[in-house]
Amino acid sequence: MTIILTPYWSNGVQKLKLSQPPAAPKRGLVPPQLDHEIHVQRCLEQLRSKDKNLEKYIYLSHLKTEDPSMFYRLCLEHMAEITPIIYTPTVGDACLNFSHIYRRPEGLYISIQDKGKIGSVINNWPKIDEARISVVTDGSRILGLGDLGVNGMGISIGKLSLYVAGAGIRPDSTIPICLDLGTNTQRYLDDPFYLGLRQKRVGDAEMEAFMDEFMEEMSRAFPKLMIQFEDFSTDNAFKYLERYRHKYPVFNDDIQGTGAVVLSGFLNAAKLSSAASGLPLTEHRILFFGAGSAGVGVASQLMSFFTLLGMTEDQARRKIYLVDSQGLVYDARGHLAEHKKYFSRDDYRGPPITNLLDIIQYVKPTALLGLSTISGAFTVDVLDAMAAINPRPIIFPLSNPVKLSECSFSDAVEITQGRVLFASGSPFPAQQFGGKTLYPGQGNNMYIFPGLGLGAIIARVSEVTDSMVEASSLGLANSLTDEERSIGLLYPRIERIREISVFIAKEVIRAAQKAGVDRSPALRTKSDSELMRFISQRMWNP
């Protein structure tokens, strides 16, 4: 039997841990003809026998607990089929029903009642020395579904499953965390099955003190951990990212991950659009329908598209327009939320423009991006207007899940006569038009955060810089194969996720080295090919 001695640190002292592969079950404890390869097909058949996606989610959750190697093998071998079940769109239904489908503990729950003793709760985590990545949510704005309270744990679990499947992070290195600060959703407070505290959300000052203690105790317990913030309410998403980003290695997927994946798709779409129109890349104008944390986060990231072309930050900012629930965002309109002010227009002084069609006629955008969670907001008239302005209009309805998408791929294809450059937040099926098969892009954060997290962990970064996020986006944009480009794809095929994650991780590590935030100096002397080989060798395989 192979004996493995694994070094680890405990209270500042390096020790050796004895570990070994699990022994095969003794004779009689499994059926005599249990063939592993056939069992893979058996599990897949069991999954496909479920007629509801939520039932498939429950089955996969059970499989992950009982046989994690089988779960992740299915994920890797059937990525396109299983990702929509463990992530968007099905994870939204799973979160809505989390307290009703709950079966066994998974992850770490820290509530406002633990304030003052958060460290002792964190230290109850059974695999404290292995921890490298955590996804943390407070459940206050899960996808586009609102305040789900402790039911938001499903999103932390789902994201970390994708870190394992997409980047080879070891399952034992992941910690899903839900911070229970109450919920303002009355139906959960009235639900006898609800698993969280039965109280309204705490105020800002109390939350701030809680978060400060939480982050300090996390850094003390897990000195090698990167934290991904997920689905905090808009104001808190910006607030806590800014509060901690230069102190701890933290990353907000809603703001930075969404921005990075959209920038990548936009880079490829803009080139195709400019080739059709003859306009230089610097002439693109981007209209955002939705000005929450995701909308403003993506807008901030898309400024890189213009600055990479040599434009100044102010010139880049003026290429971006925001639309919120009150219409075009501009200075003379009056009071604005803090996160909207940077992109507020100072060159419009007319009456408020509230109708999206009127705004399109005023801005004449080359790209329309939806992050509003308003289903069907991109109507036939809106799509028709975009097609009239642009030979190849860029339409990105990015709201999740599918039922909240601003338009469908089929509508966009039909109304633009197949000319649309399309990417959505959730998956849509391919469409036939003019004798050709047209494929929708999916601006899926799964393309970005696994590779970004992997690079940050391997480089042992002290913080996640803007340049690292930008590097992940450019890495994704440059990872398409010639065949993928030839059929008009804006994003690579999801089945290549591990290959893509290695490339992104390499780009992220190089950006961290250039920024001086890496703490693995031995990696600096490796060539790119050596570094990619080093990354690949550290990816866990089921």
Side-chain angles (χ1 to χ4, degrees):
M1 179 177 289
T2 303
I3 302 296
I4 301 170
L5 294 175
T6 305
Y8 71 100
W9 289 89
S10 179
N11 297 322
V13 178
Q14 190 175 51
K15 301 179 181 179
L16 290 174
K17 176 172 54 182
L18 181 67
S19 59
Q20 55 196 38
K26 293 180 180 179
R27 184 172 179 82
L29 298 182
V30 295
Q33 293 300 311
L34 180 62
D35 179 278
H36 186 72
E37 294 304 314
I38 293 175
H39 190 49
V40 172
Q41 299 305 312
R42 181 183 292 111
C43 291
L44 192 61
E45 184 182 273
Q46 290 172 4
L47 172 68
R48 290 171 175 170
S49 71
K50 313 295 181 186
D51 60 355
K52 294 184 176 64
N53 282 339
L54 187 58
E55 291 298 323
K56 292 181 179 182
Y57 176 93
I58 293 169
Y59 171 79
L60 288 171
S61 296
H62 177 77
L63 185 64
K64 184 170 73 167
T65 302
E66 298 301 322
D67 190 350
S69 286
M70 178 64 73
F71 169 80
Y72 287 112
R73 178 167 175 178
L74 290 181
C75 287
L76 286 170
E77 293 180 1
H78 303 275
M79 187 73 70
E81 178 179 354
I82 290 179
T83 296
I85 300 171
I86 62 173
Y87 189 41
T88 55
T90 307
V91 73
D93 289 335
C95 287
L96 286 169
N97 295 283
F98 187 81
S99 290
H100 286 253
I101 64 174
Y102 176 85
R103 300 196 176 183
R104 62 189 63 80
E106 186 173 1
L108 188 61
Y109 297 85
I110 305 173
S111 82
I112 190 64
Q113 294 178 348
D114 297 316
K115 190 175 179 306
K117 53 186 177 185
I118 292 175
S120 64
V121 177
I122 289 172
N123 280 294
N124 288 333
W125 185 249
K127 297 173 181 176
I128 205 160
D129 294 316
E130 287 90 345
R132 294 295 181 273
I133 183 81
S134 178
V135 174
V136 178
T137 186
D138 72 342
S140 57
R141 191 192 57 83
I142 297 297
L143 299 174
L145 304 171
D147 181 354
L148 304 190
V150 82
N151 293 328
M153 177 57 100
I155 207 76
S156 294
I157 292 169
K159 288 276 184 174
L160 286 169
S161 293
L162 296 184
Y163 267 110
V164 178
I169 307 292
R170 296 187 67 83
D172 288 351
S173 298
T174 67
I175 316 178
I177 296 181
C178 186
L179 306 177
D180 188 359
L181 305 175
T183 179
N184 293 333
T185 302
Q186 192 61 42
R187 72 176 180 277
Y188 293 136
L189 296 175
D190 295 338
D191 183 354
F193 286 170
Y194 180 60
L195 292 163
L197 296 177
R198 297 182 187 281
Q199 66 175 61
K200 296 290 186 179
R201 284 195 173 271
V202 301
D204 290 346
E206 195 173 355
M207 180 177 181
E208 194 171 291
F210 175 91
M211 290 295 296
D212 284 348
E213 180 186 348
F214 168 73
M215 291 299 294
E216 176 63 29
E217 295 296 343
M218 287 289 286
S219 69
R220 185 174 291 132
F222 307 114
K224 298 180 180 178
L225 190 79
M226 190 185 100
I227 293 177
Q228 175 178 313
F229 288 143
E230 188 72 28
D231 288 353
F232 282 69
S233 63
T234 297
D235 290 343
N236 285 335
F238 282 101
K239 175 181 177 177
Y240 290 113
L241 175 62
E242 195 57 39
R243 189 175 182 87
Y244 302 126
R245 64 180 305 187
H246 300 301
K247 190 175 181 181
Y248 309 107
V250 299
F251 162 74
N252 186 296
D253 190 48
D254 306 300
I255 296 171
Q256 296 164 291
T258 304
V261 78
V262 176
L263 171 61
S264 177
F266 186 82
L267 283 163
N268 292 324
K271 293 172 185 175
L272 295 172
S273 178
S274 285
S277 67
L279 291 173
L281 291 172
T282 52
E283 291 302 307
H284 279 283
R285 293 176 303 282
I286 309 171
L287 180 62
F288 282 86
F289 185 69
S293 60
V296 174
V298 173
S300 300
Q301 200 67 56
L302 257 64
M303 285 179 60
S304 297
F305 172 78
F306 298 104
T307 57
L308 289 167
L309 295 171
M311 299 173 71
T312 66
E313 182 180 318
D314 187 62
Q315 289 172 329
R317 181 173 60 89
R318 291 180 177 277
K319 293 291 184 179
I320 293 170
Y321 298 75
L322 296 185
V323 178
D324 63 10
S325 60
Q326 299 177 55
L328 182 69
V329 176
Y330 63 100
D331 291 356
R333 201 181 78 179
H335 175 74
L336 291 172
E338 194 64 35
H339 67 278
K340 301 177 187 179
K341 290 180 180 178
Y342 182 75
F343 290 105
S344 180
R345 306 298 301 189
D346 61 4
D347 54 0
Y348 179 78
R349 295 177 179 81
I353 318 181
T354 57
N355 184 277
L356 182 55
L357 267 177
D358 293 337
I359 295 169
I360 289 172
Q361 293 304 325
Y362 169 70
V363 175
K364 293 188 167 38
T366 56
L368 176 62
L369 277 64
L371 295 114
S372 66
T373 68
I374 299 176
S375 176
F378 295 171
T379 62
V380 171
D381 290 341
V382 166
L383 295 171
D384 195 48
M386 287 295 295
I389 296 169
N390 303 286
R392 297 209 68 185
I394 300 170
I395 308 289
F396 284 14
L398 298 168
S399 293
N400 286 318
V402 169
K403 65 182 180 182
L404 299 179
S405 182
E406 286 79 7
C407 71
S408 67
F409 183 48
S410 58
D411 285 347
V413 167
E414 181 182 344
I415 293 162
T416 66
Q417 295 296 292
R419 295 183 285 124
V420 69
L421 294 162
F422 182 97
S424 57
S426 291
F428 283 100
Q431 298 292 317
Q432 298 294 322
F433 188 88
K436 296 172 65 177
T437 302
L438 304 180
Y439 299 93
Q442 187 187 352
N444 191 329
N445 292 23
M446 182 186 175
Y447 281 117
I448 291 288
F449 65 77
L452 176 57
L454 179 63
I457 291 169
I458 290 177
R460 292 201 59 218
V461 301
S462 57
E463 65 177 275
V464 179
T465 65
D466 287 339
S467 61
M468 291 165 62
V469 178
E470 183 179 284
S472 70
S473 182
L474 296 177
L476 176 60
N478 292 327
S479 66
L480 273 76
T481 64
D482 291 341
E483 184 269 336
E484 287 168 340
R485 292 185 188 279
S486 71
I487 58 174
L489 297 188
L490 303 183
Y491 292 99
R493 298 187 190 281
I494 199 70
E495 291 85 354
R496 294 176 50 232
I497 185 63
R498 285 214 165 181
E499 173 191 337
I500 295 161
S501 291
V502 170
F503 185 72
I504 289 175
K506 184 263 291 183
E507 295 293 291
V508 167
I509 290 170
R510 293 300 190 218
Q513 292 169 346
K514 188 176 291 187
V517 298
D518 64 311
R519 293 180 288 187
S520 294
L523 301 182
R524 298 172 193 164
T525 58
K526 292 184 183 294
S527 67
D528 283 356
S529 59
E530 289 172 336
L531 182 55
M532 289 179 69
R533 188 161 56 250
F534 180 86
I535 294 166
S536 297
Q537 289 169 348
R538 271 143 191 80
M539 296 175 93
W540 176 82
N541 286 296

